[in-house]
């Protein structure tokens, strides 16, 4: 029987990934006694893999498909198929940024000032390559975590560290010199698996549903009743990309109008709809939008 | 650029308020390192302010708009515009009540018995005014919290304290003499901000959405299929205030019927609908009802 | 005034039961200070009772209605009306199984090998009767919990214990000899209460709503727009048992199609629907399906 | 090689027992993966057993020695050797008392009032025997825990329940009719093990050290310097049972005086000692007092 | 019977105070159900009182004796007897300091710069008096907590707040302008209670033991064997204030030497003692040093 | 002023190290806001450093002295002075062992079977060198933690992992092939610091006290009174290495006898001492034994 070997990222992405699969239609259960999470689909086997190492195992075929960060794919220099970018919720979360960080009162103000200096980071290969391409000789050493402490304690001159808002960095009395890379989660496949027709179809099913669930995350359903003579002006208010579903009501001079819309636009739209004559406006949540 | 300065109450109301704004369409993020919560609306800036102090800052224009309890607005005697009462969930929670509390075996049984006695409370101005209006001379002292303990320990004769059900009071062997005030959350605006047309419109947008989210809290959507000959008897069962949305089905002798209804009435209605011929009845949740 | 006395099982089933009643339309509040939980229905009074003892109190009329496991009804040999089986979520949870368990390296391989052996269990009466019916003489002693430890420690030869997946049993180096009984939650009524017409109607109302909430648990609503010429092929894809609600759209050559479907089938169906021409497919959650 | 099989009570006594053995000189390690706790003594093997069942396994020789409550030894009617009473800390904790409890407003005021009533308890055999000896016919049923709730909810007329201070009982609006038994922890041995000379000696070693550790619990050492001419008056202050250790100091006219004394008496004694001329008084803790 | 009414400070000092009394010889038990903690001394009754309010109740005789901070005694301007300063551990904890705090980039650099500014603090009376004595007109308002936030948010110009190390202040981007007062815990008595001979003696007993326990906190016992010919050189090393206890050993040419010494000096002393010929040096803890 | 730069290992050893320094006489305080822990000794500055990186910073002189595992010193190949082995508690804890681990059913049974296989480990340099010295070609890759999972999931053939008892390894269905190294905590110094006379003396002071505290860990003081005629037989029972301190009592025919002894031997010794005539035996704890 055909099986697709799927890698789930262990650690910080783990719960979000399992939650996303649940919304997409697959129940994954991780037990503390077992390294292979259960999944309610006989065509898939799951494995928990560190995000840092995922692309290695997808590249060498140990896994057919996996989710991990673009940063670690680049660090590993892995030759894989990027099936899809999965931006977990467009609105609220910002992409992870790898930044060059120094002490607030450091004389370092631009990349060139790093010449001959010592940098500590979890992303050694990427950082070395980044400075080599710019012809800036630096010493890069691997950091075992607690990276920020090293600049504070003046053990190194600078660090390359990941951040979302930069607030932790500032709170420790540090300063961002510049951004080196932005990263987000990607769905990656092994090159041979991608050529196998059964596996390709299975991967595309998973991709369709994952994207449907992600798309629903910032979307809601909006439903309202509109009298016939105001239908055109109400429709004119709606975002042009989303064709509304308009159905006749029993009382012929009224219509029921339903749209799927970004949750973020609702607060602007509702006052306008109300003024244009829509009544009985309700908003409800969506699990998937395809 | 125009900005509305919004005050979020810190402490016991904080999470409920952020949750309510989320349902209304605004994401507020409080971080432990930053006193200014993020909000995903460029026209608003948020500030965390103690509920007790909120009305002061709205009154003097430091804030344009704020949420706080009616009790603290009265205690501060603030001159502000009360834009709306916000009763968080009509069904399950009762209003907060400020009550006069004595020891169970105290000889005090009515307001007049307090003459010449000592009262401890967090609401000093209100309590003084309350007794002065009734010409009952009392000594009122400010309490630093743990107010109930003071009656138990007989440090004072009575306290004025807030409660919902009175159960904590009884559990401590205390007795409620009478109620002095009921309080609920209110949305208040600065008087000048209310006159400014841009701010006024922004406040009204926020109010409309907050109320839409609150109204949805105890409501659900109910949808069912009904054959043509039973449509009138089914409609007769429905609460008269909520006009149902009736739409034609493809098979002409059936209709799809949809209503928004108080969740508390569903358990009575469903058995009746079923007996009257409704089929495929489903219930779903609502985010907003305008 | 008529009152129905309802028993809520204390302990492991307690939260799930309260959650189920909430989805069904009743809010039950358990407070640590009060043995009688509040319920927002004047026709019901609630009492918390241990699942093991529930059927005794329903049998002798102290309670009219109660929820408990089939296993404990059998252990007590109670003469009650089984109103309904309540299988909390068909898909994800398996029924509880009472199994005969020995040490992995025990010589016991079938029921007959237990002859003259000592068995520890919480289900003493049931186990005695089970072996007596098969003419196998055994010594059965009551276990105060931590039953599995007794086989590991060789205090007894075998235990009769409850399990869902058997994984804890295997993890302790134990082996299942055979299954003695399957159990699930049941709604049981007192025989006289069942004959009383007012109580009977109230019990049937509760049963209808509980089952409606349980049925909604693994179901979702699916809605899509379909062009007229593809309507038949799309309908052909749908599970035959669930008649779709098809309504005319404003633009006459399109239909809105809506079905209620098992959540587990959605991931297979959506790719097919999309290929057949359905557009704007959305999925949403349901609270009740009657 | 000789081995003594020791039963450690699982549950509420478990931690206190392991702590007591640690003070006595044995390190017991309970791991969540293993039912047989490790002990750093090759002559002992440990087994975790429920306190309720301990005496059964000591009686039938599965265990040589065990710790459990006197109450459960009586309930099981086990024929074992009671080696020693172990009163964990004489001062602070009171013995556990099994009491007959009714609702505060119940008409039951003495044992005889129970005639024909229903009693729920975990101690079925003991309770049946207790009432039978007094010729009072009662119905006794086994309680699966949450016993106090049953009187509050009026499911039964009375309960027999364990308590230390009675405060939980009063807090629930219940009333103690009378006390049926006092219980404390006992060290019990199997009759044949007690006759075996090697096992007897091992049991007596354990007993000596356990009692030495318990005795040290409320005791402290007190040491001071006293001039020769005040020695007699200082000694006269000391509790007569504890002979002080008096040693000569280098400067011949002073003595060093050291006693072991109940911690509770120190606060009275120190002001008196100081007035009588003792100097450099220090107090230190003790692990064992033999 | 005579009773001394003792006030225990509620809140941040509560646990440390109960711990200190335990070391001193009194067991105080606070239960969540009771505002009067139990104490194992029939001559004392305990009451939990907020540290801020303690001196009021000692001054007016509601309490005979209480522990609280010097800061709150000053704020209240209470006329009480200060029986003793209780510096909980001289070495590790620094005194609490009330400091004037502004935003890091504020133009305020000295007290005079506050002229006409707004200050928020929990210590209103003290602060007003402090500035009045220096003829600097300021507006002082009471703060409900979260005081630091107010400067960050620029709601006020400065705050007067308590700190130990100042690290929280700096972490929030704030700056200390100057220190206004240092505070520590004090044992205070009512003036009349102090004149009553029975109460005076009881207070002095408590004081003696509390100080004995506090003094033991940073002290340890050190014991060693010393040959006769090195006794003088070893004694010469010891701190002159602490006379060592020297006793003859059985083997006449050796002495046993024992001292009580500050724990902080041990690490310097031990290397010297060893070089001077002391052997078998041991260190042990002390509960009380009188 | 002279300063010794001391490295405290961050993470799993952190608390045990701070506890050890406390028993030795130095109070170290780690705050979450500050990377430099406070120490109450003006001659020392502390820095928190990952155990894995400690030896690097000691080697290059950033630190003078540090504590870390022997395993990481070897992995880094650092050229430092090993001042002392610090075996935290000889009795209860076993040394950490780095072992080669495979799946239970793996064909690998000895080192040679690893030829051409892939190994994952945190100790890459050490492992490579270990196999190179034995001429066994293997592929060694760095593991980001969760190392055991990799063998279970068959991502690699073997791992080199640290363990104390091996129980986690067996619980995961893995097997230890052989042990590669044993490790324990070591106190290491920079080579130049060791040559500096001031630093050398400071390091030796720290070492003496750390070892004194460690030695006290499994030791207790035992004190008893013995009549003159039994003194020799009692002394004969005592371990020969520990000379007892015998002092004359005031009553000339009795002696006070005091020894320092391994806690583990007390339980054997006390019954013998008692039989030989010793009375008033007490045991007390020790902080340091030099």
């Amino acid at each position: 029987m055909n099986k697709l070997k799927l890698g789930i990222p262990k650690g910080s992405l783990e719960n979000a990934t399992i939650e996303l699969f649940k919304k997409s239609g697959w129940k994954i259960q991780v037990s503390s006694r077992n390294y292979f999470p259960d999944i309610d689909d006989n065509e898939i086997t799951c494995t928990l893999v560190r995000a840092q190492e995922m692309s290695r195992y997808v590249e060498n075929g140990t896994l057919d498909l996996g989710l991990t960060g673009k940063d670690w794919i680049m660090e590993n220099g892995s030759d894989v198929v990027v099936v899809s970018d999965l931006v977990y919720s467009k609105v609220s979360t910002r992409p992870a940024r790898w930044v060059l960080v120094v002490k607030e009162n450091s004389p370092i103000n631009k990349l060139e000032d790093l010449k001959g200096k010592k940098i500590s980071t979890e992303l050694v290969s990427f950082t070395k390559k980044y400075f080599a391409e710019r012809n800036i000789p630096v010493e890069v050493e691997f950091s075992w975590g607690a990276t920020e402490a090293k600049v504070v304690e003046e053990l190194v001159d600078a660090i390359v560290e990941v951040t979302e808002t930069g607030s932790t960095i500032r709170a420790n009395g540090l300063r961002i010199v510049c951004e080196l890379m932005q990263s987000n989660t990607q769905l990656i496949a092994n090159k041979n698996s991608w050529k196998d027709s059964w596996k390709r179809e299975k991967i595309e099913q998973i991709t369709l549903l994952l994207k449907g669930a992600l798309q629903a995350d910032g979307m809601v359903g909006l439903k309202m009743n509109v009298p016939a003579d105001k239908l055109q002006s109400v429709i004119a208010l709606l975002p042009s990309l989303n064709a509304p579903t308009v159905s006749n009501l029993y009382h012929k001079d009224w219509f029921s109008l339903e749209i799927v819309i970004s949750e973020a636009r609702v607060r602007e739209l509702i006052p306008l709809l109300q003024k244009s004559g829509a009544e009985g406006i309700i908003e409800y949540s969506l699990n998937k939008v395809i």
Side-chain angles (χ1 to χ4, degrees), chain A residues 23 216-223 258-261 263 282-289:
Chain A
K23 282 193 68 179
D217 211 29
M219 308 292 274
V220 291
L222 219 55
K223 187 184 282 190
E258 189 161 8
I259 52 164
V260 168
I261 185 174
E263 193 183 357
I282 61 171
E283 181 199 302
Y284 58 95
S285 298
L286 299 173
N287 296 341
K288 296 192 185 72
V289 172

Side-chain angles (χ1 to χ4, degrees), chain A residues 201-240:
Chain A
E201 190 174 2
K202 189 74 195 171
I203 291 169
E204 286 177 342
Q205 178 204 10
I206 293 170
T207 309
L208 177 67
L209 276 300
L210 288 178
K211 289 171 80 171
L214 277 176
Q215 202 167 340
D217 211 29
M219 308 292 274
V220 291
L222 219 55
K223 187 184 282 190
M224 68 209 76
N225 292 338
V226 185
D229 59 342
K230 292 176 178 163
L231 187 61
Q232 290 316 319
S233 60
V234 166
I235 287 176
L237 291 170
L238 303 179
S240 59

Side-chain angles (χ1 to χ4, degrees), chain A residues 129-145:
Chain A
K129 198 168 152 228
Y130 187 91
F131 281 91
E133 286 171 2
R134 283 151 184 81
N135 286 317
I136 305 169
V138 294
E139 188 183 341
V140 182
E141 70 175 31
F142 174 66
S143 168
W144 285 88

Side-chain angles (χ1 to χ4, degrees), chain A residues 168-234:
Chain A
T168 307
I169 287 169
R170 284 186 299 274
N172 283 318
L174 305 181
R175 175 165 50 83
I176 294 178
V177 177
C178 63
E179 179 183 309
L180 276 56
M181 167 182 34
Q182 289 205 0
S183 179
N184 58 257
T185 304
Q186 293 187 322
L187 185 68
I188 53 173
N190 175 272
K191 293 205 146 182
N192 291 326
S193 309
W194 190 243
K195 287 173 195 154
D196 174 300
S197 67
W198 182 87
K199 289 186 177 177
R200 174 73 167 268
E201 190 174 2
K202 189 74 195 171
I203 291 169
E204 286 177 342
Q205 178 204 10
I206 293 170
T207 309
L208 177 67
L209 276 300
L210 288 178
K211 289 171 80 171
L214 277 176
Q215 202 167 340
D217 211 29
M219 308 292 274
V220 291
L222 219 55
K223 187 184 282 190
M224 68 209 76
N225 292 338
V226 185
D229 59 342
K230 292 176 178 163
L231 187 61
Q232 290 316 319
S233 60
V234 166

Side-chain angles (χ1 to χ4, degrees), chain A residues 27-236:
Chain A
K27 285 181 188 141
I28 297 175
Q29 275 185 307
V30 177
S31 95
S32 59
R33 287 202 194 85
N34 193 342
Y35 288 108
F36 298 103
D38 273 343
I39 187 164
D40 63 342
D41 184 333
N42 289 327
E43 298 177 349
I44 304 178
T45 57
C46 285
T47 305
L48 280 175
V49 174
R50 301 278 296 187
Q52 294 96 330
E53 305 175 347
M54 181 72 77
S55 68
R56 285 196 217 156
Y57 298 118
V58 173
E59 183 182 20
N60 73 18
T62 306
L63 300 172
D64 294 308
L65 188 69
L67 293 94
T68 188
K70 191 176 127 186
D71 40 11
W72 291 106
I73 304 168
M74 289 182 68
E75 170 70 9
N76 291 328
S78 301
D79 187 20
V80 294
V81 179
V82 176
V83 181
S84 176
D85 278 275
L86 297 175
V87 183
Y88 291 36
S89 179
K90 269 162 197 144
V91 179
S92 67
T93 54
R94 307 167 198 171
R97 303 157 54 218
W98 286 87
V99 289
L100 184 75
V101 174
V102 297
K103 248 188 145 163
E104 210 163 64
N105 58 9
S106 160
I108 297 170
N109 288 305
K110 56 184 187 301
L111 280 179
E112 289 68 24
D113 298 344
L114 266 297
K115 187 180 291 183
K117 301 294 184 188
K118 195 190 286 185
I119 302 174
S120 189
T121 183
E122 286 188 290
L123 226 53
V124 171
S125 301
F126 169 82
T127 303
K128 281 184 174 166
K129 198 168 152 228
Y130 187 91
F131 281 91
E133 286 171 2
R134 283 151 184 81
N135 286 317
I136 305 169
V138 294
E139 188 183 341
V140 182
E141 70 175 31
F142 174 66
S143 168
W144 285 88
T147 311
E148 280 156 9
K150 299 197 179 68
V151 194
V152 179
E153 299 169 354
E154 301 192 343
L155 298 176
V156 297
D157 301 294
I159 58 171
V160 173
E161 183 57 319
V162 71
T163 187
E164 283 189 15
T165 64
S167 63
T168 307
I169 287 169
R170 284 186 299 274
N172 283 318
L174 305 181
R175 175 165 50 83
I176 294 178
V177 177
C178 63
E179 179 183 309
L180 276 56
M181 167 182 34
Q182 289 205 0
S183 179
N184 58 257
T185 304
Q186 293 187 322
L187 185 68
I188 53 173
N190 175 272
K191 293 205 146 182
N192 291 326
S193 309
W194 190 243
K195 287 173 195 154
D196 174 300
S197 67
W198 182 87
K199 289 186 177 177
R200 174 73 167 268
E201 190 174 2
K202 189 74 195 171
I203 291 169
E204 286 177 342
Q205 178 204 10
I206 293 170
T207 309
L208 177 67
L209 276 300
L210 288 178
K211 289 171 80 171
L214 277 176
Q215 202 167 340
D217 211 29
M219 308 292 274
V220 291
L222 219 55
K223 187 184 282 190
M224 68 209 76
N225 292 338
V226 185
D229 59 342
K230 292 176 178 163
L231 187 61
Q232 290 316 319
S233 60
V234 166
I235 287 176

Side-chain angles (χ1 to χ4, degrees), chain A residues 15-24 86 88 210 213-214:
Chain A
N15 288 336
T17 302
I18 287 169
E19 190 56 35
L20 174 60
F21 270 87
K22 191 178 162 202
K23 282 193 68 179
S24 304
L86 297 175
Y88 291 36
L210 288 178
L214 277 176

